[in-house]
């Protein structure tokens, strides 16, 4: 639940992780049957949030992920002061997560553990904002499906907020969590949810009625050794009245519980708004001091008393009140009433016998008890078989064929006696295109032999544009592409304008639409190895310097005298050599010969030899050669 402060726990690998490049996990809050809740920080908006991260085994269920995202989007549109807001949902590094409002405080379950039970006015004051939240959802076409104290948050300033709207539907569709769902919420589950997995607004009303009973009495109405036995009680037994547990309970509260928990949905209030109106009327009519009066008359409930439903010793069956006008006939016993085994019924038409002897009386009592025990055992066996057949025996679990080829999946299902049809293709986050992406009913659902199963081929994930990653680091580019579902590869290439070690481009190119997910071609990330050093050996130092500087390099020249026939004013070598990948601004060292300082075109008169530099001339009397 998105409530409370961080817990001291062992190192959690998600703490410190940034999901979707935005939500930094700060600390662990709680772990539930389908997810772990963390306190997190929204890096974009700078606010505290709660992030619910689905367990990895659930996140692998393709149908669950799709339904979870759809339900989360619907819940995000629900705005009410008594509803925990849903801000965002996403899929990051194989983590499916939900971003919610962070609510510091505690849950209603924590309050019940602390106080045991609540007075009528306290109970109704808590129930009304819960019903207001459910009513807003019902008006928006949403059904909660998992109303329970753990999903009701109590803030430090006294607000009441309901969490996890619509998510139970996503969980119930997943074979990975079906067992966990039954075990976790069966105490509040309406009969129609048990029998046919169907639910509507009246199912939430039923759960609210169970919650009211628990607030008033400190215990759940149906308790048994197993979830299956509790589910059987919901289907076949009437929820007891609060006054059958606590004498002195106002009859109006019995009426509220009886009306909300009618086994026939048609006999319940049609939605939470209608039930809220009745609850508000009863609350207004209660005496102001009713809570204190009951507290003085009834001992405090023991903490953690929700595991046992026990009548006070002073309350006999004859003292239990008559059901209210909306209650169904009481069926608190098993399907076979105990009265049918009484001596009056069994002996009504039995002829009179002679006065029995002592031995006859002993034998009669012994055989009578054996008969009763035998009949009772037979009745329990028959009842057990009937329950097993109704809840499990006539149904078989749908095998998982997601990820198989359509041909293999069809053959496997038809071999087990199912009828198979093919539905329209669906986008898939994890299943390769052309293989089975989902089934209806989903894997693990219990259906009768010979039922129809629809196979939906995977279309892969919808094509999405490749983002522009030029100039980013390879790690950042890979993270951004992974969030979109792409597989990636990397390659190196020189670049004249991108710094060494940064992304130059992608293939497919930025903006081009590509198919992410399994079986799709990866996106190649090209990383700059720097700039190729141009070759300048054989050029003059001036020309070489100009070429290198234009390419973004710094130049250092070492000049030597020409020797051994070397040309003057020429670059003899360079370091690094031509074709080397180096970063922009690197230093290139050149070795070059100096210019020749002599020239042989002097002239003069006479036999002397004219010498000079450049275009100078020698003078003499003779003729120069």
């Amino acid at each position: 639940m998105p409530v409370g402060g961080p817990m001291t726990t062992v190192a959690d690998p998600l703490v410190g992780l940034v999901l979707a490049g935005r939500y930094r996990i700060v600390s662990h809050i709680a772990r539930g049957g389908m997810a772990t809740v963390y306190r997190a920080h929204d890096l974009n908006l700078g606010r505290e949030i709660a992030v619910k991260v689905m367990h990895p085994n659930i996140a692998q269920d393709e149908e669950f992920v799709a339904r979870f995202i759809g339900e989360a989007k619907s819940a995000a549109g629900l705005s009410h002061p008594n509803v925990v807001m849903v801000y965002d949902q996403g899929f990051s590094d194989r983590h499916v997560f939900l971003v919610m409002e962070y609510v510091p405080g505690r849950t209603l379950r924590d309050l019940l553990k602390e106080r045991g039970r609540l007075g009528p006015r306290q109970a109704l004051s808590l129930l009304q904002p819960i019903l207001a939240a459910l009513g807003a959802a019902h008006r928006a076409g949403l059904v909660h499906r998992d109303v329970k104290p753990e999903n009701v948050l109590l803030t430090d300033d006294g607000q009441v907020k309901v969490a996890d709207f619509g998510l139970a539907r996503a969980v119930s569709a997943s074979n990975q969590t079906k067992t966990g769902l039954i075990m976790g919420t069966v105490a509040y589950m309406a009969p129609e949810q048990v029998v046919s997995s169907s639910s509507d607004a009246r199912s939430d009303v039923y759960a609210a009625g169970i919650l009211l009973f628990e607030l008033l009495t400190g215990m759940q109405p149906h308790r048994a050794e197993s979830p299956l036995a509790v589910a059987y009680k919901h289907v076949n037994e009437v929820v007891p009245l609060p006054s059958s547990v606590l004498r002195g309970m106002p009859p109006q509260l019995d009426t509220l519980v009886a009306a909300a928990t009618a086994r026939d949905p048609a006999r319940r209030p049609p939605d939470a708004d209608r039930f809220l109106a009745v609850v508000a009327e009863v609350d207004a009519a209660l005496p102001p001091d009713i809570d204190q009066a009951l507290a003085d008359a009834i001992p405090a409930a023991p903490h953690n008393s929700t595991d046992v439903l026990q009548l006070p010793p002073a309350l006999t069956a004859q003292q239990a009140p008559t059901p209210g006008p909306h209650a169904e006939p009481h069926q608190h016993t098993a399907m076979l009433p105990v009265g049918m085994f009484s001596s009056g019924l069994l002996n009504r038409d039995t002829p009179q016998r002679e006065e029995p002897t002592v031995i006859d009386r002993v034998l009669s009592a012994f055989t009578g008890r054996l008969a009763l025990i035998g009949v009772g055992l037979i009745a329990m066996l028959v009842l057990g078989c009937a329950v097993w057949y109704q809840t499990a025996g006539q149904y078989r679990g749908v095998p998982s064929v997601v990820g198989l080829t359509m041909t293999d999946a069809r053959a496997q299902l038809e071999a087990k006696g199912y009828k198979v049809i093919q539905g329209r293709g669906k986008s898939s986050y994890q299943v390769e295109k052309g293989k089975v992406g989902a089934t209806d009913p989903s894997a693990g659902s219990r259906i009768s032999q010979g039922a129809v199963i629809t196979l939906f081929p995977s279309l892969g994930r919808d094509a999405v544009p490749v983002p522009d990653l030029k100039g980013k680091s390879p790690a950042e580019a890979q993270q951004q592409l992974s969030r979109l579902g792409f597989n990636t590869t990397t390659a190196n290439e020189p670049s004249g304008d991108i710094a060494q070690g940064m992304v130059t481009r992608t293939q497919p190119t930025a903006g081009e639409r590509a198919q992410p997910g399994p079986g799709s071609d990866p996106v190649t990330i090209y990383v700059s190895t720097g700039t190729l050093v141009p070759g300048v050996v054989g050029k003059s130092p001036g020309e070489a310097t100009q070429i290198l500087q234009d390419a973004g390099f710094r130049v250092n020249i070492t000049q030597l005298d020409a020797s051994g026939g070397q040309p003057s004013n020429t670059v003899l070598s360079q370091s690094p050599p031509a074709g080397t990948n180096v970063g922009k601004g690197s230093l290139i060292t050149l070795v070059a010969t100096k210019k020749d300082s002599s020239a042989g075109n002097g002239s003069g008169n006479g036999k002397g030899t004219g010498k000079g530099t450049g275009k100078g001339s020698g003078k003499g009397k003779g003729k120069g050669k």
Side-chain angles (χ1 to χ4, degrees), residues 245-606:
V245 178
L246 300 174
R247 288 183 297 173
M249 187 67 65
Q252 303 97 309
L253 296 172
D254 284 346
T255 302
L256 288 177
V257 172
T261 60
R263 286 182 295 165
D264 181 1
R267 300 181 62 183
R268 302 175 206 149
D271 54 41
D273 283 335
R274 295 286 291 274
F275 189 36
L276 174 59
V278 180
V279 169
E281 291 182 8
V282 171
D283 186 29
L286 288 176
D289 60 346
I290 182 65
D291 288 1
Q292 187 60 47
L294 282 179
D296 294 340
I298 303 171
H303 293 341
N304 303 321
S305 61
T306 57
D307 292 334
V308 180
L309 180 60
Q310 181 177 357
L311 295 176
L315 184 60
T316 64
Q318 289 78 14
Q319 292 171 319
T322 305
H326 298 286
E328 303 174 40
H330 273 282
Q331 299 178 19
H332 299 304
T333 59
M335 293 292 288
L336 301 177
V338 175
M340 72 177 293
F341 301 122
S342 65
S343 58
L345 291 177
L346 290 176
N347 298 326
R348 179 177 299 172
D349 299 322
T350 304
Q352 296 294 321
R353 299 176 57 189
E354 297 181 3
E355 185 68 23
T357 64
V358 174
I359 295 178
D360 289 337
R361 290 177 180 175
V362 173
L363 290 175
S364 176
F366 181 71
T367 55
R369 289 179 181 176
L370 285 179
L372 286 175
I373 293 173
V375 172
L377 290 174
I378 294 173
M380 291 177 63
L381 179 61
V382 172
L383 182 60
C385 292
V387 171
W388 173 81
Y389 182 76
Q390 288 295 326
T391 59
Q394 63 177 323
Y395 301 106
R396 300 174 62 186
V398 176
S400 176
V401 294
V402 172
L404 298 181
T405 64
M406 296 293 291
T407 302
D408 290 346
R410 179 183 293 274
Q412 182 175 325
L413 294 175
E414 289 179 344
K416 294 181 180 296
Y418 297 110
K419 298 178 181 177
V420 181
I421 61 175
Q422 180 173 330
R424 298 180 62 182
K426 292 184 176 181
S427 298
S428 173
Y429 282 78
Q430 297 176 331
V431 180
E432 186 176 344
K433 183 177 180 180
K435 294 185 177 180
V436 178
T439 63
D440 185 21
S442 59
S445 301
R446 303 192 68 81
I447 60 176
S448 58
Q449 187 172 5
V452 175
I453 297 178
T454 304
L455 302 180
F456 299 97
S458 170
L459 298 179
R461 290 190 62 178
D462 293 333
V464 296
V466 175
D468 186 0
L469 304 172
K470 185 177 181 179
K472 297 183 180 295
S473 69
E476 186 178 0
Q478 287 179 338
Q479 184 180 36
Q480 190 168 341
L481 290 170
S482 295
R483 284 202 301 267
L484 296 173
F486 289 110
N487 297 318
T488 61
T489 60
T490 58
N492 295 328
E493 68 176 6
S495 173
D497 58 347
I498 301 296
Q500 187 176 13
M502 308 304 286
V503 177
T504 60
R505 62 186 176 93
T506 59
Q507 181 59 41
T509 58
E512 186 177 344
R513 300 183 70 86
Q515 185 96 23
S520 300
D521 293 333
V523 174
T524 302
I525 301 171
Y526 287 92
V527 180
S528 171
T529 57
T531 306
L532 290 177
V533 178
V536 293
V537 173
K539 299 184 182 296
S540 69
E543 184 182 1
T545 299
Q546 187 65 46
I547 292 173
L548 292 173
Q549 287 179 344
D550 289 345
F553 298 107
R554 294 178 294 118
V555 181
N556 179 51
I557 302 177
T558 300
Q559 290 188 320
L560 305 174
D561 292 328
S563 63
Q566 292 175 332
S568 64
N569 199 35
T570 303
V571 175
L572 301 178
S573 66
Q574 65 180 76
S575 179
T580 304
N581 289 312
V582 296
K584 268 194 171 185
S586 297
L587 178 65
I588 309 299
T589 301
L590 304 179
V591 177
T593 56
K594 297 178 181 179
K595 289 183 178 180
D596 188 356
S597 58
S598 62
N601 57 348
S603 62
N605 297 318

Side-chain angles (χ1 to χ4, degrees), residues 181-267:
L181 176 67
I182 293 296
M183 293 182 66
T185 63
V186 69
Y188 309 89
M189 191 172 291
E192 62 271 17
Q193 290 178 279
V194 176
V195 173
S196 62
S197 298
S198 63
S199 57
D200 57 20
R202 297 169 297 182
S203 306
D204 285 349
V205 171
Y206 182 94
I210 299 292
L211 182 59
L212 176 59
F213 180 95
E214 185 174 7
L215 293 175
L216 294 170
T217 65
M219 57 191 70
Q220 296 167 352
H222 294 319
R223 305 295 294 175
E225 294 294 329
S226 68
L228 178 61
V230 175
Y232 176 80
K233 287 177 177 287
H234 279 293
V235 175
N236 294 284
E237 296 184 12
V238 173
V239 172
L241 303 177
S243 62
S244 69
V245 178
L246 300 174
R247 288 183 297 173
M249 187 67 65
Q252 303 97 309
L253 296 172
D254 284 346
T255 302
L256 288 177
V257 172
T261 60
R263 286 182 295 165
D264 181 1
R267 300 181 62 183

